[in-house]
Amino acid sequence: MPSTSFPAPSKFPLGPPAAVCGSGETLGPAPPSGGTMKSAEEEHYSYASPGVRSTLLPSSAQPSLPAPGHDLQTSAPGVPATAASQPPGYGGAVDSGPSSYFLSSGHARPNGAPALESPRIEITSYMGLHHGNNQFFHDVEVDDVLPGSKRPPSTATLNLPNLEAYRDPSCLSPASSLSSRSCNSEASSYESNFSYPYASPQTSPWQSPCVSPKTTDPEEGFPRGLGVCGLLGSPRHSPSTSPRTSVTEESWLGTRTSRPSSPCNKRKYGLNGQQLTSPHHSPTPSPRGSPRVSVTDDTWLGNSTQYTSSAIVAAINALSTDGSLELDGVPVKARKTALDHCPSVALKVEPAGEDLGTTPPTAEFLPEEFPSFQHVRKGAFCDQYLSVPQHPYQWARPRSPTAYGSPTLPALDWQLPSRSGPYELRIEVQPKPHHRAHYETEGSRGAVKASAGGHPSVQLHGYLENEPLTLQLFIGTADDRLLRPHAFYQVHRITGKTVSTTSHEAILSNTKVLEIPLLPENNMRAIVDCAGILKLRNSDIELRKGETDIGRKNTRVRLVFRVHIPQPSGRMLSLQVASNPIECSQRSAQELPLVEKQSAASCPVLGGKKMVLSGHNFLQDSKVIFVEKAPDGHHIWEMEAKMDRELCQPNSLVVEIPPFRNQRITSPVQVSFYVCNGKRKRSQCQRFTYLPANGAVRNNRMVLSPKARARCGH
DNA sequence: TGAGGAACATAC
DNA sequence: GTATGTTCCTCA
């Protein structure tokens, strides 16, 4: 395979490659790592065109490169050490400070080099990303089309509204609910977008070279690089390209069929792989074989006019083609398991190079301007294949950032600043430190809540425009490494009467992203009451190709919020902020709180002082109880300390030390305290010493000064 | 639907 | 054997 003819690294003078727009502007932060990243970065920048989803395939081109992973520190051959060692993100920001991430609206591939040849087909999610009425985005997208190429996004997403129709119900737990099975839920985008390594050309050396490779999903080039899933390729995608279809189908239908250790078959499901007959098994492509197509239409029908009918047909063809060959060489067990996870198939169709110049005009991607397209899609296309319920938007959603095509937006594992220039994205209300995530086999456990009741809220400060924006939310890691999408958790869209915030799901490189409107009338503030957390089985994720993280004990997450602010220059400013860590496992939440450190071993004997306790398993509603017992064990007093909730953070409590209550004690006064979670969980008592401030010890008794006495109520 | 709890399964 | 993960039961 030819290697990528990207701009030389010299284009990125500030260490990590900085974003470069078509005009040569140096943009935002550099990607987190090198290696496969390199190509991705370059691709990303050099090709970053909202309207064009380039799909360079570093992996396929360089099979030897390490599979995408999470190790952001990993560098790869050929990549400057700096690129790999520096934290992603702040490298080359220009306008808004070092940390801002800008995207130019006009990035066309600088050298006009053709996209990297690659034997993969990927249908990337794009659907529903173009709905907006945000002219800002609109313009950007138009401008972003490669000059002369008029090339539409090379990838698209097809949402499957009702995955159940394609899955064996018997495989689902009775306890399951549609909403809980994120992968299969109405949030069809997840389904259609969620791709597994096996289906990801970039990680599938065995993929058929017959696929026309012209574009690459920059997203995939990043550490996680599993590829944006979704469906639909550009209208140019040759129906002959294909073969990914089967993969997708299999992964999709194979859900739960072969979970190695899953009790799915042992307990209730009683489903065997045989039962799940993938449409692709049929030698003959059939409408049924491409349910994903309809999937894409799901909630985005109203907005998905970006696709031309030809594109859709191409996608269908691709999907309906048996691509089993691509799975050859992949252990059935692993394959199925992994695929199982992502019922939805995300195919990325890579248009042939020649397509670049023949791609339909950008206008195709502007639904508002081409209502006829919608008609064609819904009626002529979707209806013919799948009965897809119309899913009108509930809100005049601004064009989703993803509508630009991920190539133009920073990858989810890029580190972005929370503020830049006049803008600041801030979490006004933090989520509770514990939220039990639900499995696909369970019903939803509801939305993440705030400690003091209510829900987390996020606000964009400094934005004075009247155009609404979209707030993106995904589940990120909470370990010591750089923030990145969490492999074992996905955000779960909550809907229902109790949810006041509308939202939409999108998939970016295997990560589900919830998109929430940020409206000027709400002061660009969003109350996030629509986000739950879905736990994916460790066994499923760990079998993913390229996955390096392990799920065991990896149960802490953060809510990551992003907003992309169009700039007058046409570029995009991206901000990001992550919440405090959230413990998602049931067991951890039940563990005893443990005080590891306290701010002072000795504290004033009188009240009014505060003490900081840090440890584990503290809850926002944890209580700190002070106890004093006489040497003979006699309980002298016990009282709950007042908490300074404003200063409390996860696993860090700030308490006000209660006033001294008993004068008949010896000095130094030994007092114990424990942290109590709920009714039963309490830490071991931990001692500290009161110093006789404002008092003195005489004859084994505390003698308080009049002032101290008054303060203590004595 | 949203939780809480716990039984059962698996990893270490 | 213990710790942790996953599924199921139950209830408000």
Side-chain angles (χ1 to χ4, degrees), chain A residues 13 66 119 147 163 218 255 291 358 464 593 628 652:
Chain A
L163 179 67
T255 302
T358 57
L464 305 177
E628 186 192 349
S652 179

Side-chain angles (χ1 to χ4, degrees), chain A residues 141 152 235 305-308 310 359-367 370 373:
Chain A
E141 181 169 301
T305 53
Q306 58 180 336
Y307 304 105
T308 62
S310 61
T359 301
T362 308
E364 289 186 353
F365 307 106
L366 306 176
F370 295 78
F373 252 134

